């Protein structure tokens, strides 16, 4: 099966699609020709800055056409894209860009002050491109993005070292240590179409890629952030199909704006992150059930956080013909399993059918027997990444050989029902999934314990209808101290990304550590749940 570099595929698509729409955001529209030309200009600027083969370029941007342009330009130049969570604080940004060995950063103008604070700590970065704002107001140490993207260059732009399916694309994730980990994907692995029953065979040449494009390519809304795996993979698939990416202007999530875009642009599918996005959509539709024409919308895809059965039913009530695809996976293990719901039946919450290359295995490598009640870990072979960037220990722990084949085991625990469906139980580590973001208890606990009025702290996730899980802290005060909840929350927000700050802070007489110093998280979580309710 032929493999291609992403930029080679997208250039072939651009030649075929020409003046068809590639990107839309509000009143801004870009054709495939414009996308290709602007990405060429960016690639030329990266190369002119003195980069080397497979150097890293970070995108520190909200959703928008510039995100995809910068991604395309990075890949055209034979460089490695690095996603950056736009909720990160200065320490997290410094760690990520230093860990990634970033040499260029494309950032939104609203982040200029924060970036200026971080710049001295990441001396490898030699080029800063500022997106948005007036050119006259651009930071003196940065280059206005639009001045670069609007240049005319002779394309297609290629580096002397060329491009290869072995070139990489990084997806930085929260990992399991509380600091971001770079998941290394080969472009050939991530971009290869797997053969499916009834579909034409995968293309063997770039001409075949163009020839197989649909006469009616998809119009897709990645409602979730492009800096997360779910949004990024949605964009990659849409570009591969020669479709149109519709991004929303609100930096949070406005369900009204989303539904307006679906109706206006005749959107075929959207990607979301579970109930965090689906619940506001249901509430908007319930308030104004006749406002939007959803006749074009065929499917909604979700991954990354729980998508509950009642919320799926709420969506299907408004359009029973919708296909709701609930995907089980992560940045390092995509497509582990899937649950499909329609008007004819809704799959139970956290219940999935595994893919052909996925197993549930015990610690000693045995398959969990269906219906046995035994708990194992999800493991996937086949289309998996190379490992974690600059972390051999974590790579060895997560990527293991079972029965002579390499698997990724990201740490999700599950049981297998008698009919073969899998019941997801959660991560074995103390990982809190809040609104699709990963929060690790120990990281927040260590910040809390820096306060003079807190002797000890435990951080747990409790069920929450909006966030899936809400970060909650139990704190043991120092003698005589009076804990003020809002002060504690603001303290964490000043040091970590805001989504890592507790939604609630509960004062307890004692955290109750064991003699070994370990915390009984099960007991603490039960305590927090009772207090939260």
């Amino acid at each position: 099966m032929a493999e291609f570099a992403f930029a080679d595929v997208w250039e072939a698509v651009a030649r075929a699609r020409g003046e068809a729409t590639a990107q839309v955001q509000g009143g801004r529209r870009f054709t495939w020709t414009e996308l290709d030309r602007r990405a060429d200009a960016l690639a030329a600027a990266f190369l002119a800055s003195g980069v080397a083969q497979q150097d890293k370029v970070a995108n520190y941007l909200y959703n928008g056409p510039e995100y995809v342009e910068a991604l395309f330009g990075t890949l055209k130049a034979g460089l490695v894209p690095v996603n950056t969570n736009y909720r990160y604080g200065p320490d997290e940004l410094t760690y990520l860009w230093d860990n990634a060995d970033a040499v260029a950063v494309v950032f939104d103008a609203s982040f200029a002050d924060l970036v200026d604070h971080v710049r001295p700590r990441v001396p490898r970065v030699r080029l800063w491109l500022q997106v948005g704002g007036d050119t006259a107001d651009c930071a003196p140490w940065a280059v206005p993005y639009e001045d670069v993207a609007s240049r005319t260059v002779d394309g297609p732009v290629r580096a002397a070292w060329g491009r290869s399916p072995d070139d990489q694309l990084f997806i930085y994730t929260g990992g399991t240590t509380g600091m971001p980990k770079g998941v290394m994907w080969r472009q050939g692995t991530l971009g290869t179409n797997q053969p499916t029953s009834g579909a034409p065979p995968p293309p063997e040449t770039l001409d075949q890629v163009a020839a197989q494009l649909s006469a009616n390519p998809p119009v897709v809304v990645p409602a979730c952030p492009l800096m997360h795996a779910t949004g990024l993979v949605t964009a990659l698939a849409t570009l591969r199909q020669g479709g149109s990416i519709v991004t929303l202007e609100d930096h949070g999530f406005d369900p009204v704006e989303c539904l307006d875009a679906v109706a206006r642009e005749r959107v075929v599918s959207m990607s979301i992150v579970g109930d965090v996005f689906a619940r506001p959509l249901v509430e908007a539709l319930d308030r104004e059930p006749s406002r939007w024409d959803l006749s074009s919308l065929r499917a909604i895809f979700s991954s990354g956080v729980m998508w509950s059965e009642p919320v799926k039913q709420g969506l299907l009530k408004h359009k029973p013909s919708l296909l709701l695809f609930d995907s089980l996976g992560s940045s390092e293990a995509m497509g582990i399993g899937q649950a499909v719901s329609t008007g004819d039946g809704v799959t139970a919450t956290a219940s999935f059918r595994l893919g052909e290359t996925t197993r549930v295995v015990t610690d000693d490598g045995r398959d969990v027997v269906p219906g046995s009640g035994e708990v194992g870990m999800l493991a996937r072979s086949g289309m998996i990444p190379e490992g974690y960037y600059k972390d051999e220990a974590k790579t060895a722990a997560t990527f293991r050989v079972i029965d002579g084949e390499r698997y990724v085991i990201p740490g999700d625990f599950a049981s297998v029902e008698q009919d073969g469906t899998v019941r997801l139980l959660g991560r074995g580590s103390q990982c809190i999934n809040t609104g699709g973001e990963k929060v690790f208890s120990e990281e927040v606990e260590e910040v809390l314990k820096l306060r003079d009025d807190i002797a000890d702290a435990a951080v747990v996730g409790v069920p929450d209808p909006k966030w899936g899980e809400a970060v909650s802290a139990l704190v043991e005060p120092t003698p005589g101290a009076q804990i003020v909840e809002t002060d504690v929350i603001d303290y964490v927000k000043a040091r970590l990304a805001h989504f890592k700050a507790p939604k609630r802070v509960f004062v307890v007489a004692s955290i109750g550590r064991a003699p070994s110093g370990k915390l009984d998280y099960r007991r603490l979580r039960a305590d927090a749940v009772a207090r939260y309710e």
Side-chain angles (χ1 to χ4, degrees):
M1 188 185 304
E3 295 182 335
F4 308 103
F6 282 124
D8 289 338
V9 171
W10 299 343
E11 286 177 351
V13 172
R15 290 192 295 270
R17 298 289 291 141
E19 298 309 303
T21 300
Q23 295 206 80
V24 178
Q25 187 182 50
R28 298 196 297 161
R29 309 182 78 87
F30 295 90
T31 67
W32 270 92
T33 297
E34 289 171 320
L35 169 61
D36 190 40
R37 175 183 57 77
R38 288 167 67 87
D40 272 328
L42 292 165
F46 291 139
L47 294 172
S49 71
V51 296
Q53 185 175 12
Q54 290 292 273
D55 268 350
K56 317 304 185 295
V57 177
N59 261 6
Y60 183 30
L61 298 169
Y62 294 113
N63 281 14
E66 292 82 4
Y67 198 108
V68 176
E69 291 170 356
L71 176 71
F72 195 179
T74 300
L75 295 169
K76 276 176 174 281
L79 307 174
V80 182
V82 174
N83 59 313
T84 302
N85 191 323
Y86 52 68
R87 298 186 179 97
Y88 279 168
D91 291 345
E92 295 150 314
L93 291 174
T94 301
Y95 176 87
L96 193 156
W97 293 340
D98 178 69
N99 180 263
D101 300 319
V103 299
V105 175
V106 185
F107 68 97
D108 189 272
S110 62
F111 305 138
D113 289 344
L114 181 54
V115 172
D116 193 22
H117 177 70
V118 169
R119 280 192 317 120
R121 300 158 68 179
V122 284
R124 290 190 190 91
V125 179
R126 59 171 62 94
L127 176 64
W128 303 90
L129 291 180
Q130 178 174 310
V131 174
D134 294 332
T135 298
D137 296 330
C138 183
W141 40 266
V143 177
Y145 175 94
E146 189 58 32
D147 285 3
V148 173
S150 60
R151 293 173 185 166
T152 299
V153 299
D154 292 329
V157 172
R158 298 178 70 96
W161 48 78
R163 306 171 191 152
S164 166
D166 289 329
D167 287 353
Q168 294 185 328
L169 182 150
F170 283 5
I171 302 178
Y172 263 79
T173 179
T176 56
T177 65
M179 296 305 286
K181 295 294 181 189
V183 181
M184 302 183 295
W185 281 94
R186 284 183 67 253
Q187 292 182 37
T189 301
L190 191 57
T192 298
N193 280 358
Q194 301 300 314
T196 56
S197 176
E204 294 295 329
T205 67
L206 291 171
D207 287 341
Q208 289 178 5
V209 169
Q212 290 183 9
L213 294 176
S214 169
N216 297 298
V219 181
V220 179
V221 170
C224 48
L226 293 172
M227 54 87 171
H228 276 333
T230 302
L232 176 62
V233 171
T234 298
L236 297 180
T238 305
L239 293 171
R240 169 64 180 78
Q241 298 171 74
S244 177
I245 298 172
V246 181
T247 48
L248 306 178
E249 295 182 288
D250 193 284
H251 294 161
F253 174 65
D254 181 350
V256 172
E257 181 193 3
C258 182
L259 292 167
D260 284 347
V262 168
R264 182 184 67 249
E265 302 297 337
R266 308 297 296 161
V267 168
V268 173
S269 69
M270 74 168 75
S271 60
I272 63 173
V273 181
D275 283 359
V276 180
F277 289 76
R279 191 181 298 275
L281 288 171
V282 172
E283 292 170 350
L285 290 167
D286 286 346
R287 286 193 301 269
E288 300 180 90
S290 302
R291 172 171 172 175
W292 293 283
D293 176 6
L294 303 181
S295 57
S296 65
L297 188 63
R298 301 175 191 169
I300 301 178
F301 296 84
S302 176
S303 183
V305 75
M306 182 183 69
W307 193 3
S308 65
E309 182 177 353
V311 175
K312 292 177 184 176
Q313 290 172 337
L315 287 167
L316 291 168
K317 178 183 69 175
H318 291 281
K319 188 173 183 185
S321 63
L322 273 177
L323 292 173
L324 307 182
F325 294 91
D326 193 357
S327 179
L328 175 59
S330 62
S331 300
E332 56 269 86
M334 298 178 186
I336 287 178
Q338 183 174 264
V340 181
S341 298
T342 69
D344 295 328
V346 177
T347 304
T349 305
S351 179
F352 300 88
R353 285 281 180 186
L354 294 185
E356 293 182 0
T357 60
T358 305
R359 305 161 63 177
V360 181
V361 297
T362 60
D363 286 339
D364 57 1
R366 293 182 295 104
D367 287 307
V368 168
V369 177
S372 65
E374 190 174 22
V375 173
M377 289 184 292
L378 292 165
R380 162 147 200 191
S381 64
M383 194 188 86
I384 63 176
E386 305 301 291
Y388 296 101
Y389 187 54
K390 298 196 305 191
D391 195 335
E392 295 181 1
K394 179 60 180 170
T395 298
T398 305
F399 297 84
R400 310 177 202 171
V401 175
I402 303 174
D403 299 333
E405 191 168 6
R406 189 170 181 263
Y407 283 80
V408 56
I409 306 177
D412 297 295
F413 282 76
S415 60
V416 185
E417 305 298 325
Q418 188 66 51
D419 64 358
T421 58
V422 167
R423 179 73 177 172
L424 184 64
L425 302 176
R427 283 285 170 109
S429 60
Q430 300 307 319
C431 176
I432 302 167
N433 194 328
T434 180
E437 300 282 6
K438 295 174 181 176
V439 178
F440 296 91
S441 298
E442 291 184 358
E443 181 184 23
V444 184
E445 288 163 4
E446 291 306 311
V447 171
L448 290 169
K449 288 185 288 186
L450 292 174
R451 287 179 60 94
D452 293 336
D453 56 355
I454 295 178
D456 204 354
V459 173
V460 296
V462 302
D464 181 89
K466 179 178 181 180
W467 303 105
E469 285 186 294
V471 180
S472 301
L474 297 102
V475 299
E476 179 181 331
T478 54
Q482 296 294 318
I483 302 292
V484 178
E485 183 178 51
T486 54
D487 289 348
V488 174
I489 294 171
D490 289 343
Y491 182 86
V492 177
K493 286 182 176 179
R495 288 156 178 78
L496 297 175
H498 285 199
F499 67 83
K500 296 181 180 181
K503 297 287 190 295
R504 293 298 309 276
V505 177
F506 304 113
V507 177
V508 296
S510 173
I511 293 297
R513 289 184 180 269
S516 63
K518 293 184 179 180
L519 294 173
D520 183 350
Y521 280 104
R522 180 175 298 182
R523 174 186 59 79
L524 290 162
R525 184 176 184 274
D527 187 3
V529 168
R531 294 168 184 266
Y532 195 84
E533 292 174 348

